[in-house]
Amino acid sequence: MPLITSKDGLKSFLMNSRLLTPADWDKVAADVASQQDVEGVVKVLERRQFLTQFQAGRILKGETEGLVLGRYKLQYRNASGGFARVFRAVSIGDNKVVALKLLRDRWADDPRTVASFVREAQICQQFVHPNVVPIYEIGNEGRFHYFSMEFVEGGNLRDFMKIRKTLSPQEATRCMLQVFQGLEYALSKGVTHRDLKLTNVLMSSNGVAKLVDFGLAGADTPDKAGTSEDNQRALEYSVLERGTNAPRNDPRSDIFFAGSIYYELLTGEGPWSRSTDRDERQQLNRYTKIQPLRNVLPNLNSSIVAACNRMMEVSPSARYQSPTEAIHDLRRIMVAIGDSAQGPTAGDQKKTMDLGKIKPLTMEMKPEFRLIVVDSLEKRCRIVADYFEKHGFDLTFVASPQIALEKLKAEPPDGILFLADNDPESVLAMHKQIQAYARNQNVPCLAVFATDDERAVNEKVVPTRFFATIFQPATLRDIRTHFEEIGAATR
């Protein structure tokens, strides 16, 4: 679509597309009147939180098509793959937050790909289970094919493991119990997953594992899969099944790849190296020459070792024969290691894990200060987490200021810490936006820069409690004291 070049044209687009209501416009009319051009109006709307940064950027680029699909307004992109993209969206009218999965443009004109995409949604739309992400609506507008589903605050297991590195035996086993409960339910509906991996297990805000992306579930034969993306995703399963003379779409294949997830949660490393080389991925020995779990973790509980080994037996007949069989052993293990076999309950919330949040299995029962920490140095994240959680802080780690800003807009924390000595430019580039939103939400922010950056920072930043600055060397105690003193006045 062409660029919007007039204020009246912008208002007309926003009203007609339903990105804004007339009442929304009335609230900013005075601020808008003083702006000379479309860019100025858009920046006002973004600052006042009537547009997200994603929406504002698309409008200024003239990429307005598809910002509203059906009754959903896209707010920002949450994940991306070769087949589809996933956006955080809200429904018009009630502002219910959903995830919206949108087929990529390059596949929109391929009938077989579209049919595969719709099949995924239709299969999962029948699912109602706490360990499976539910599908709400399926729709298309012209070349846009999409479906809406539950938005799981947090993220997937791969992102979680980038921070945690390994999980405790209790956490890993609890997670796997929930994964198998989802598989058991799907199988009761006649469906296998066919694409189990860390990125297809999401963690809810109260620590519940949920399966997502049953994109190959209905592809009982290769001709139904239909797309090169399907064939790529099916490769590991087909190699395993051909190499072991197992039937195609064997439920025990899901059990094997669930075992590989269990292995990585416990050890911090996958049982085989990740590779995009198709020839390498077609070698059966890639999935059979695995470092024994007992060699990696010699002190691990023997029942856990036995369960994980059984999941990953090369011979299908030696594996668990059903998710139900695995669930029986996992529940028994959880009781033996002193954890609940039923997953998180209302009284268990302080023991659950959440993507991006690092919590010990026990926590003092007192109000927590919810602190977002922006840092890309994983080793330092662990040190910061160990210190702050001892002092009653609830930490969420993100890798960039952009993600922190989106979280600030969507669900304001009690404070934001930018460890900016490693990447000062990205923080300085966004500090005015962050400061404005933080002031509006009454959220104190603190940025820690390197000593060498002091002159550049002082030239660009006017510190307030909504974007204060300090310079290295800064101790963790200094940082904690800052939030305890300034944050106490804003909570």
Side-chain angles (χ1 to χ4, degrees):
M1 290 186 67
L3 286 170
I4 299 172
T5 57
S6 70
K7 291 165 63 175
D8 287 343
L10 175 62
K11 179 180 178 180
S12 177
F13 163 72
L14 294 172
M15 298 298 109
N16 291 335
S17 67
R18 298 173 295 164
L19 273 173
L20 267 66
T21 66
D24 292 334
W25 187 267
D26 289 343
K27 293 175 183 177
V28 296
D31 290 340
V32 165
S34 63
Q35 299 302 313
Q36 301 301 312
D37 54 22
V38 169
E39 183 176 359
V41 175
V42 169
K43 287 183 176 178
V44 167
L45 293 170
E46 184 184 357
R47 186 173 68 250
R48 294 285 301 275
Q49 301 187 52
F50 288 99
L51 291 177
T52 67
Q53 186 177 37
F54 167 78
Q55 293 166 340
R58 288 275 293 265
I59 290 170
L60 292 176
K61 292 177 182 178
E63 299 172 356
T64 54
E65 195 176 11
L67 280 176
V68 178
L69 295 173
R71 64 189 188 96
Y72 299 106
K73 297 188 290 187
L74 276 59
Q75 292 190 314
Y76 62 82
R77 191 167 67 193
N78 195 56
S80 185
F83 191 49
R85 291 171 172 161
V86 179
F87 294 82
R88 186 187 193 271
V90 294
S91 56
I92 295 171
D94 61 5
N95 282 324
K96 178 182 178 181
V97 177
V98 301
L100 188 140
K101 188 169 185 177
L102 177 64
L103 186 67
R104 279 183 173 269
D105 284 349
R106 66 171 174 264
W107 299 109
D109 296 325
D110 183 343
R112 296 183 71 186
T113 304
V114 172
S116 174
F117 182 76
V118 173
R119 184 193 71 240
E120 172 187 351
Q122 290 173 335
I123 288 171
C124 297
Q125 200 171 28
Q126 64 181 301
F127 294 167
V128 181
H129 189 274
N131 300 122
V132 179
V133 174
I135 303 296
Y136 300 139
E137 297 180 31
I138 307 169
N140 78 281
E141 292 189 9
R143 61 189 177 87
F144 296 101
H145 299 270
Y146 63 91
F147 58 83
S148 62
M149 54 188 174
E150 178 188 9
F151 184 82
V152 179
E153 289 285 356
N156 63 58
L157 278 181
R158 177 174 291 178
D159 292 335
F160 183 72
M161 294 301 291
K162 287 179 181 178
I163 296 174
R164 285 295 299 272
K165 300 303 183 184
T166 63
L167 301 189
S168 70
Q170 292 92 338
E171 289 174 311
T173 304
R174 187 188 313 136
C175 179
M176 293 312 302
L177 172 61
Q178 294 169 359
V179 167
F180 273 99
Q181 287 173 167
L183 291 175
E184 179 186 50
Y185 174 81
L187 191 58
S188 74
K189 301 292 185 181
V191 173
T192 54
H193 191 283
R194 305 294 297 173
D195 195 22
L196 270 182
K197 53 189 177 183
L198 290 177
T199 52
N200 285 340
V201 181
L202 307 186
M203 297 300 298
S204 73
S205 59
N206 61 350
V208 177
K210 293 173 177 277
L211 299 180
V212 70
D213 198 355
F214 284 74
L216 301 176
D220 297 322
T221 60
D223 65 297
K224 287 185 179 181
T227 72
S228 60
E229 176 75 8
D230 280 337
N231 294 332
Q232 178 79 352
R233 290 160 66 190
L235 183 60
E236 284 83 0
Y237 277 73
S238 62
V239 168
L240 181 68
E241 289 168 350
R242 286 199 308 268
T244 58
N245 295 316
R248 193 181 188 284
N249 210 13
D250 188 343
R252 296 171 297 183
S253 299
D254 277 341
I255 292 173
F256 180 90
F257 288 101
S260 72
I261 293 175
Y262 200 10
Y263 185 105
E264 186 159 353
L265 296 183
L266 292 163
T267 66
E269 298 289 341
W272 49 80
S273 61
R274 294 188 177 94
S275 174
T276 58
D277 185 281
R278 188 175 179 86
D279 290 337
E280 181 181 348
R281 293 169 65 207
Q282 289 189 96
Q283 302 302 313
L284 180 63
N285 63 10
R286 179 169 182 256
Y287 309 103
T288 59
K289 291 184 177 180
I290 296 169
Q291 177 79 342
L293 183 57
R294 175 61 73 195
N295 290 0
V296 182
L297 297 172
N299 297 320
L300 186 61
N301 179 283
S302 59
S303 295
I304 294 177
V305 173
C308 187
N309 287 345
R310 188 173 177 189
M311 292 172 193
M312 298 185 68
E313 286 283 356
V314 176
S315 170
S317 61
R319 282 177 225 146
Y320 290 109
Q321 298 301 290
S322 69
T324 303
E325 192 176 353
I327 287 170
H328 175 79
D329 273 4
L330 290 170
R331 283 180 171 155
R332 178 177 53 79
I333 290 168
M334 291 185 73
V335 171
I337 62 179
D339 205 343
S340 166
Q342 303 303 318
T345 64
D348 232 1
Q349 295 307 305
K350 292 297 178 184
K351 298 195 298 183
T352 60
M353 61 182 181
D354 177 21
L355 179 66
K357 295 183 178 180
I358 305 177
K359 297 184 179 181
L361 290 178
T362 60
M363 180 78 79
E364 292 180 52
M365 297 298 290
K366 62 181 180 181
E368 293 176 327
F369 188 100
R370 296 178 298 113
L371 181 66
I372 290 177
V373 181
V374 182
D375 193 12
S376 58
L377 300 179
E378 296 177 356
K379 184 177 180 180
R380 183 163 65 181
C381 288
R382 182 69 262 174
I383 295 171
V384 171
D386 287 343
Y387 176 83
F388 276 90
E389 286 174 349
K390 293 176 183 177
H391 295 277
F393 284 71
D394 178 7
L395 300 189
T396 297
F397 286 86
V398 299
S400 72
Q402 173 64 46
I403 299 173
L405 179 60
E406 296 294 352
K407 287 185 174 291
L408 174 62
K409 296 175 183 179
E411 187 179 355
D414 295 316
I416 304 178
L417 170 63
F418 298 87
L419 296 177
D421 52 342
N422 187 50
D423 185 15
E425 293 305 320
S426 66
V427 177
L428 290 174
M430 297 189 65
H431 87 274
K432 289 184 178 179
Q433 280 183 286
I434 292 165
Q435 193 174 50
Y437 277 103
R439 181 185 300 110
N440 188 55
Q441 301 284 10
N442 204 27
V443 174
C445 298
L446 176 66
V448 183
F449 292 94
T451 304
D452 293 344
D453 297 321
E454 186 167 357
R455 181 175 178 179
V457 171
N458 289 337
E459 288 176 351
K460 294 181 180 180
V461 179
V462 178
T464 69
R465 72 176 182 180
F466 302 108
F467 197 91
T469 60
I470 59 174
F471 299 90
Q472 297 285 20
T475 68
L476 293 176
R477 183 177 180 179
D478 293 336
I479 296 170
R480 174 172 63 87
T481 300
H482 172 88
F483 283 109
E484 287 178 341
E485 293 178 352
I486 295 183
T490 61
R491 294 183 73 181

